């Protein structure tokens, strides 16, 4: 048999905003995360769900960096892609952007099966900031969009079970310290893309694990899944069981029927085939199915309200059509984490493809039955299980050709642990500038000092690295990074002592002063936090090395935190002094225009604060669920919120 499935490089050109530099300050506090529920809802949950919701929720982003250097100015840029194609399907994958499947085209009909975003616009939806909408994304780590949303993955050509080639993506997920892989297999003549996923735990301890595959599809669809109940989560942070398809007299399986953004986690009965489909009025669309390990199915909608429509415009281009997401995960809901035992793995296979079913309108059970029958005809459940059995022995197959390179963090972890991970090589040659000080610590037992003028570089916080730091010579760098690791471990008192020792030893005091200020803020010592933030910012400005991108990013991040701390302490004059020392480009960014409006309000200038809003600024890193824009507008006495600033994802609290 002649195999015609191909993998090739391609370059996409599209309007794109630059990612910019990462925030160089360690993420001692998580970004505001909206995906948690009130305690009063837990009593009504099934015991296994309640247990998994309470199991190891994320309390820190460390060691991942915050990615907030992007803006809103787009120009044509090139993006590297890998294209997997047979005579039926063409999948376009972005290895440098989390391995996202940006497009999945059914070649006989020419239909795009996904929502394909015509632009690349980062927005503040990932756990650590930068994320973008569209296509199929692989979310691993903890509740929310992965920290790898806009990061490069390793990619390679590997042998496929049918004698052809698979596209393998892999990386080291740093929040949970786990390697994972995604194998894209498109058999010759198949209408379905098979995706084999494996997450491995090489450690001698259990690790909390999370996975959701998120699939963006056009929102003018009906979403069907084999369920008659769902767990509804809205941005009111309530989790409640609701009937499917309708509650409160409205059929919620049509995405535009919900007024506000919401999640619907379908309660698929045990033993039932796992699938979800988004079909247009004629019954055409995309279906996703999997082996049973991937138990959860979900619909996310932006809703028909003003805030949801504004978010849709924000993430793409006005007039290009909206989208919803159909999703599949390891647990019932995205609020849960599952236990992955020591030295074990979890693996499954997903299948994505076109479905031409009967029109989905009408009575729910009948529509689901017709859709499921059509799915069984074109891709039997047994065929998915057989594809998984065929793929699994090839999960260890070594790459035949490296196609793209990810980060060096996995190589560093493999070097430290001495692990053998067949199929996902983390070559030591991938270790770069960020990892080099830690390789030195591993081999020489000491941590090199960074250049005194710049930020101290990324920290590692896992127990084994903390142990190495505790036995290393007590240099300023070692004490600083040890404090970050102790903070991550919850030993706040020891972290403070380590930063105080670093402060005594280091030529540059501002990194440790900033960490101590965060500790003061968390302890509600707001005056002391303000003092330390002001001192840290003064120290950073005194050591400015010139026009350096990392210094500018540090000044913006530290200046923002300092102004907020000084305003919280009721010291607007000192906050103004920090503002005046920021460079003009930083002050012009939308986030800082909002801070300027808050500063003017603190100074008693409500009319001037409203004038800032009149200049139509855009807060590029506006956080999902963040209501700050509306709050500051109301505080300024501005009346009804202008549509361009309306990103509300829930009804106004009464």
């Amino acid at each position: 048999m002649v195999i015609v499935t191909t993998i090739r490089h391609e370059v996409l050109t599209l309007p794109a905003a630059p990612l910019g530099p990462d925030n160089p300050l360690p993420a001692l506090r998580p970004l505001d995360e909206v995906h948690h529920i009130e305690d009063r809802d837990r009593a009504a949950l099934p015991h296994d769900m309640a247990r998994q919701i309470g199991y190891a929720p994320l309390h820190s982003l460390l060691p991942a960096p915050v990615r907030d250097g992007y803006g809103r100015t787009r120009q044509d840029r090139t993006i590297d892609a890998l294209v997997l194609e047979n005579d039926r399907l063409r999948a376009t994958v972005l290895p440098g952007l989390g391995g996202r499947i940006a497009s999945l085209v059914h070649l006989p009909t020419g239909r795009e099966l996904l929502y394909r975003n015509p632009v690349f616009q980062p927005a503040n939806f990932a756990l650590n900031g930068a994320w973008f909408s569209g296509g199929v994304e692989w979310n691993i780590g903890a509740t929310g969009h992965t920290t790898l949303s806009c990061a490069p993955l390793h990619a390679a050509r590997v042998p496929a079970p049918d004698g052809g080639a698979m596209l393998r993506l892999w990386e080291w997920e740093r929040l949970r310290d786990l390697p994972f892989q995604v194998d894209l297999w498109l058999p010759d003549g198949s209408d379905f893309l098979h995706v084999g996923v494996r997450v491995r735990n090489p450690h001698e301890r259990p690790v909390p694990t999370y996975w959701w595959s998120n699939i963006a599809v056009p929102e003018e669809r009906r979403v069907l899944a084999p369920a008659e109940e769902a767990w509804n989560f809205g941005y009111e942070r309530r989790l409640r069981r609701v009937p499917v398809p309708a509650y409160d007299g409205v059929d919620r399986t049509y995405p535009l029927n919900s007024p506000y953004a919401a999640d619907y986690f379908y309660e698929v009965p045990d033993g039932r085939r796992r699938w979800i489909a988004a079909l247009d009025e004629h019954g055409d669309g995309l279906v996703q199915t999997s082996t049973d390990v991937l138990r959860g199915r979900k619909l996310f909608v932006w809703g028909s309200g003003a805030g949801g429509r504004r978010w849709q415009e924000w993430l793409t281009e006005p007039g290009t059509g909206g989208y919803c997401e159909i999703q599949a995960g390891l647990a019932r809901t995205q609020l849960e984490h599952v236990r992955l035992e020591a030295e074990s793995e979890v693996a499954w296979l997903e299948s994505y493809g076109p479905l031409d079913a009967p029109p989905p309108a009408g009575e729910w059970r009948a529509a689901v039955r017709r859709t499921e029958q059509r799915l069984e005809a074109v891709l039997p459940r047994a065929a998915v299980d057989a594809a998984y059995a065929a793929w699994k022995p090839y999960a260890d197959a070594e790459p035949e050709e490296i196609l793209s390179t990810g980060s060096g963090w996995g190589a560093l972890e493999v070097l430290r642990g001495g692990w053998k991970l067949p199929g996902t090589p983390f070559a030591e040659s991938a270790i770069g500038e960020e990892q080099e000080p830690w390789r030195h610590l591993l081999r020489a037992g000491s941590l090199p000092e960074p250049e005194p003028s710049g930020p101290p570089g990324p920290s590692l916080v896992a127990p084994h690295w903390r142990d190495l730091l505790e036995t290393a010579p007590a240099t300023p760098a070692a004490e600083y990074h040890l404090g970050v690791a102790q903070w991550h471990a919850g030993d706040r008192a020891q972290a403070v002592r380590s930063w105080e020792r670093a402060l005594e030893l280091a030529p540059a005091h501002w990194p440790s002063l900033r960490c101590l200020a965060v500790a003061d803020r968390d302890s509600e010592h707001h005056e002391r936090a303000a003092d330390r933030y002001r001192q840290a910012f003064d120290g950073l400005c005194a050591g400015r090395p010139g026009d350096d991108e990392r210094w500018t990013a540090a000044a913006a991040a530290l200046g923002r935190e300092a102004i907020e701390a000084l305003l919280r302490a009721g010291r607007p004059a000192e906050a103004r002094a920090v503002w005046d020392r920021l460079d003009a480009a930083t002050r012009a960014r939308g986030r800082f225009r909002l801070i300027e409006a808050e500063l003017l309000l603190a100074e008693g200038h409500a009319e001037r604060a409203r004038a800032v809003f009149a200049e139509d600024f855009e807060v590029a890193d506006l956080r999902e669920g963040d209501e700050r824009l509306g709050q500051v507008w109301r505080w300024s006495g501005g009346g009804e919120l202008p549509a361009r600033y309306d990103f509300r994802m829930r009804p106004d609290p009464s």
Side-chain angles (χ1 to χ4, degrees), residues 50-63:
R51 181 180 66 253
Q52 291 183 162
I53 286 176
Y55 175 45
L58 192 68
H59 295 298
S60 169
L61 290 177
L62 293 167

Side-chain angles (χ1 to χ4, degrees), residues 103-161:
S103 170
L104 185 63
V105 175
H106 184 231
L107 297 174
T109 61
R111 284 196 288 121
E112 173 62 70
L113 301 180
L114 305 173
Y115 171 78
R116 180 172 186 169
N117 197 332
V119 304
F120 172 68
Q121 177 56 63
N124 195 358
F125 279 71
L127 287 165
N128 63 333
W131 168 89
F132 65 106
S133 64
V136 183
E137 58 177 308
W138 319 112
N139 288 303
I140 181 174
T143 299
H145 294 281
T146 177
T147 61
L148 297 167
S149 292
C150 292
L153 304 190
H154 300 279
R157 183 193 311 270
V158 297

